[in-house]
Amino acid sequence: MEAVPENWQRGLVVVAHPDDIEYGAAAAIARWTRQGKEISYVLATSGEAGIAGLSPEKSGPVRESEQRESARIVGVDTAEFLGHPDGRLVPSLDLRRDIASAIRRHRPEMVVTLAFGLSPRPGWVNSADHRALGISVLDAVSDAANEWIFPELTERGLEPWHGVRWAAVCPGSPPTHAVDVTDTVELAVESLAAHRLYLQALDDRPVEAQAREQVERASAPLPGFAAERASGFELYTFAG
């Protein structure tokens, strides 16, 4: 299995909810920021419908705050929230436009998102938000490069961006490429544990134990890839 290309400088991670990044890709993000890469996060929602018993009005700000702290731990300074409704994402033109706008603003060479298939793992149904978000991200990469699809973006001063060379989907199902995250697993555990209120609502076990279990599962060794710990991705190539 080949390594995910690392001959790039700017990356953009686009996901549906706070904690999505930390459930799979955070260890790779930490590796890349250690290399000096500039990475920003864009989240379609604030995860405001994600905590049972806590109203969206109270949950949204808490989850945004937890995500910003989680980003800081792995070396990411920017986390933007697009304000789409949690639990009700659809692959709409509005969502594509907002993601294309973010791509034009941040001008990444690498875009990272989460698995959007119906069943990324056997017996597990992916959420509707993840399915809608992932395919919209891939479409928005092309939209961001096309001056005619959303001309209003150009009118706002956001010129088309042709510089996306790859989109990496985590976890790959199956993965086509991988990242050696042996040295950044602990940062990924700390980053997921920063979603403290969210994890406390999910499970009675200590937050740190939940975070470690998930990160160790997501960074298990991959066949054909020489690393003690690895994050698997499905890699898509764009002309740039």
Side-chain angles (χ1 to χ4, degrees):
M1 183 179 296
E2 295 183 33
V4 171
E6 294 185 330
N7 56 329
W8 50 274
Q9 181 59 27
R10 290 189 308 279
L12 184 66
V13 184
V14 187
V15 296
H17 317 104
D19 80 61
D20 283 349
I21 300 164
E22 289 68 41
Y23 268 86
I29 303 303
R31 170 186 168 96
W32 292 331
T33 59
R34 280 186 171 184
Q35 293 173 348
K37 300 185 191 307
E38 304 163 24
I39 297 180
S40 299
Y41 289 175
V42 169
L43 297 96
T45 81
S46 297
E48 67 275 8
I51 300 179
L54 190 65
S55 70
E57 293 76 17
K58 294 180 179 178
S59 179
V62 169
R63 300 205 66 197
E64 287 187 7
S65 177
E66 289 184 339
Q67 181 61 74
R68 291 191 174 97
E69 173 60 13
S70 183
R72 183 198 64 78
I73 290 166
V74 295
V76 174
D77 296 327
T78 300
E80 300 176 356
F81 300 86
L82 299 179
H84 287 262
D86 183 16
R88 291 173 284 159
L89 287 182
V90 292
S92 65
L93 288 176
D94 285 345
L95 181 58
R96 281 170 51 187
R97 180 187 297 110
D98 287 350
I99 298 169
S101 176
I103 291 170
R104 290 191 183 192
R105 287 197 310 275
H106 292 282
R107 303 169 75 83
E109 300 154 85
M110 172 68 79
V111 171
V112 177
T113 192
L114 289 192
F116 53 89
L118 177 62
S119 182
R121 297 198 301 267
W124 182 69
V125 178
N126 205 355
S127 82
D129 278 2
H130 292 170
R131 302 198 310 266
L133 188 282
I135 193 63
S136 297
V137 170
L138 295 187
D139 289 340
V141 170
S142 297
D143 297 338
N146 190 317
E147 62 187 303
W148 304 118
I149 294 179
F150 298 123
E152 62 270 33
L153 297 181
T154 305
E155 293 170 3
R156 284 162 34 195
L158 295 172
E159 294 296 327
W161 175 243
H162 304 268
V164 176
R165 300 162 65 191
W166 303 282
V169 178
C170 179
S173 53
T176 60
H177 292 69
V179 177
D180 184 345
V181 298
T182 305
D183 295 335
T184 52
V185 165
E186 292 304 317
L187 281 173
V189 172
E190 184 181 353
S191 185
L192 178 53
H195 294 277
R196 186 160 297 274
L197 188 61
Y198 176 72
L199 292 175
Q200 286 172 343
L202 285 182
D203 197 315
D204 292 335
R205 292 178 300 157
V207 165
E208 289 73 15
Q210 293 184 57
R212 182 166 300 280
E213 178 182 310
Q214 174 57 38
V215 170
E216 289 186 352
R217 182 187 303 122
S219 63
L222 291 173
F225 190 71
E228 182 180 338
R229 288 285 172 181
S231 293
F233 292 82
E234 187 174 4
L235 194 70
Y236 294 85
T237 301
F238 291 84

